[in-house]
Amino acid sequence: MTDPRPKHLLDFQGWSPERLSGLLDNADTMLNVLARPVKKVPALQGLTVCTAFFENSTRTKVSFELAARRMSADVVSFAAGASSVSKGESLRDTVETLTAYKMDAYIVRHTASGAAHLVARYSGKPVINAGDGRRAHPTQALLDAYTIRQEYGDLRGKRVTIIGDVLHSRVARSNAELLPKLGAEVVLCGPATLLPLELGTMPGVTLTTDPREAVRGAHAVMALRLQNERMQGGYLASLADYIATYQVNESLLSEAEDGAIVLHPGPMNRDVEISGEVADGERSRIVKQVENGQAVRMSVLYHLLVGRD
Ligand code: CP
């Protein structure tokens, strides 16, 4: 590969399709490690990885910490709520303090868009963005891409429909950036109040407010959580109307390709953006996404930290 290896994974700027495909190929190797009785390799021995989470998480935090430990790194789990951030310490001062303890890499989640960039600037160490505001969640998009690829072998020519609260979704933005790089077409769908027009200018991305049109011919349908915590009201006519129109359920999926799979990044509002029947049904790959997340995050850590110096 001739393109320079990026130092960080903040979004997909500077990541070539070849490099991204290689990352997904390496996740196959990591899945093999995770299938062994002893799920441990020495790849990150001697390195210290800090998970710095300023916003709650289950999947991303647990899987990153496991991924780092599976590769023999030391892990510092920094939870902002139980730290001096609650006394008013700034993000910059927090990062400079942690960096004095000789961290080798940071995995950062924050409510503010751009926070991971700030950590990269003040730490000088590789940073993986584990979700910043509504801007980006690149490892979620990578595990989504990996899960679709696992199903179809290749993303080229695949139609991936993402339905729901696109406005507040960093997952939608990262998938809209990543999947077309890997050859897939992305359709973003939601009520007009939750569908930012500027996303329709991204290459390989189209927008529609019509869920049946969006799902027609789809190979994968991803439901997005209604992010009630980021809404100040006024986005929906009513919850009942939203559910009747945009819920991913068996009726809506009858428009998709035979064998189309269903994804959800989690956490789910069951029977709101996705019916419980579909979430637990044959098409669902939601548990598979969670399983794949650990392998994909091992691959990202390996790519950024091994053999760099
Ligand atoms: N998908 C996702 O980011 O889940 P968590 O918030 O639980 O990490």
Side-chain angles (χ1 to χ4, degrees):
M1 221 170 289
T2 54
D3 57 312
R5 178 159 41 152
K7 179 169 179 176
H8 311 287
L9 179 59
L10 303 174
D11 48 40
F12 296 112
Q13 277 182 41
W15 287 79
S16 68
E18 295 72 27
R19 189 171 293 283
L20 291 163
S21 294
L23 248 179
L24 299 184
D25 292 342
N26 281 343
D28 289 341
T29 309
M30 301 307 180
L31 266 190
N32 289 335
V33 171
L34 294 174
R36 294 179 193 164
V38 178
K39 302 166 185 55
K40 197 131 181 156
V41 290
L44 302 185
Q45 206 157 43
L47 297 180
T48 305
V49 172
C50 177
T51 54
F53 276 59
F54 297 80
E55 185 187 278
N56 293 342
S57 164
T58 299
R59 283 147 279 266
T60 313
K61 189 165 193 288
V62 171
S63 62
F64 259 123
E65 291 186 356
L66 272 175
R69 290 196 175 102
R70 304 283 194 214
M71 293 194 290
S72 305
D74 293 318
V75 175
V76 173
S77 180
F78 173 82
S83 77
S84 290
V85 169
S86 65
K87 301 173 199 162
E89 190 161 36
S90 70
L91 179 56
R92 175 186 172 170
D93 287 341
T94 302
V95 170
E96 288 181 344
T97 300
L98 293 169
T99 301
Y101 295 124
K102 311 261 181 268
M103 304 299 167
D104 294 295
Y106 289 88
I107 296 155
V108 180
R109 169 166 292 191
H110 205 287
T111 49
S113 298
H117 290 72
L118 192 144
V119 175
R121 182 170 159 199
Y122 287 108
S123 70
K125 297 294 177 184
V127 172
I128 300 169
N129 183 359
D132 62 333
R134 60 175 78 168
R135 211 185 70 82
H137 192 351
T139 59
Q140 178 68 46
L142 283 166
L143 75 89
D144 295 336
Y146 184 76
T147 305
I148 300 167
R149 199 180 85 154
Q150 207 171 41
E151 200 70 30
Y152 294 105
D154 196 341
L155 280 150
R156 281 173 293 187
K158 300 297 175 294
R159 180 176 166 101
V160 181
T161 296
I162 302 176
I163 302 187
D165 181 358
V166 176
L167 176 67
H168 298 102
S169 177
R170 53 198 176 209
V171 176
R173 281 173 183 72
S174 281
N175 270 299
E177 194 185 1
L178 173 66
L179 296 175
K181 277 192 181 226
L182 299 175
E185 170 200 359
V186 172
V187 182
L188 300 176
C189 176
T193 48
L194 296 176
L195 197 62
L197 287 178
E198 68 269 17
L199 296 186
T201 63
M202 296 173 78
V205 178
T206 55
L207 308 184
T208 176
T209 56
D210 179 344
R212 297 208 167 257
E213 179 193 317
V215 165
R216 209 161 291 138
H219 298 89
V221 177
M222 182 187 301
L224 293 177
R225 184 169 69 89
L226 264 187
Q227 298 195 29
N228 293 312
E229 76 276 22
R230 296 190 213 273
M231 294 209 202
Q232 266 101 53
Y235 287 99
L236 304 177
S238 73
L239 185 60
D241 179 63
Y242 178 83
I243 291 170
T245 312
Y246 291 103
Q247 185 185 78
V248 174
N249 52 33
E250 289 296 351
S251 163
L252 185 59
L253 289 169
S254 65
E255 305 279 345
E257 284 287 290
D258 287 345
I261 60 169
V262 171
L263 307 172
H264 192 305
M268 277 186 280
N269 298 307
R270 267 174 190 270
D271 296 316
V272 178
E273 70 267 1
I274 186 168
S275 70
E277 182 189 18
V278 165
D280 300 329
E282 269 187 18
R283 294 177 185 272
S284 175
R285 297 294 180 274
I286 297 170
V287 174
K288 193 55 87 180
Q289 285 174 277
V290 175
E291 285 173 15
N292 289 341
Q294 193 180 161
V296 167
R297 287 171 174 134
M298 285 170 77
S299 178
V300 170
L301 283 167
Y302 187 89
H303 194 82
L304 289 178
L305 298 183
V306 176
R308 179 171 285 283
D309 299 315

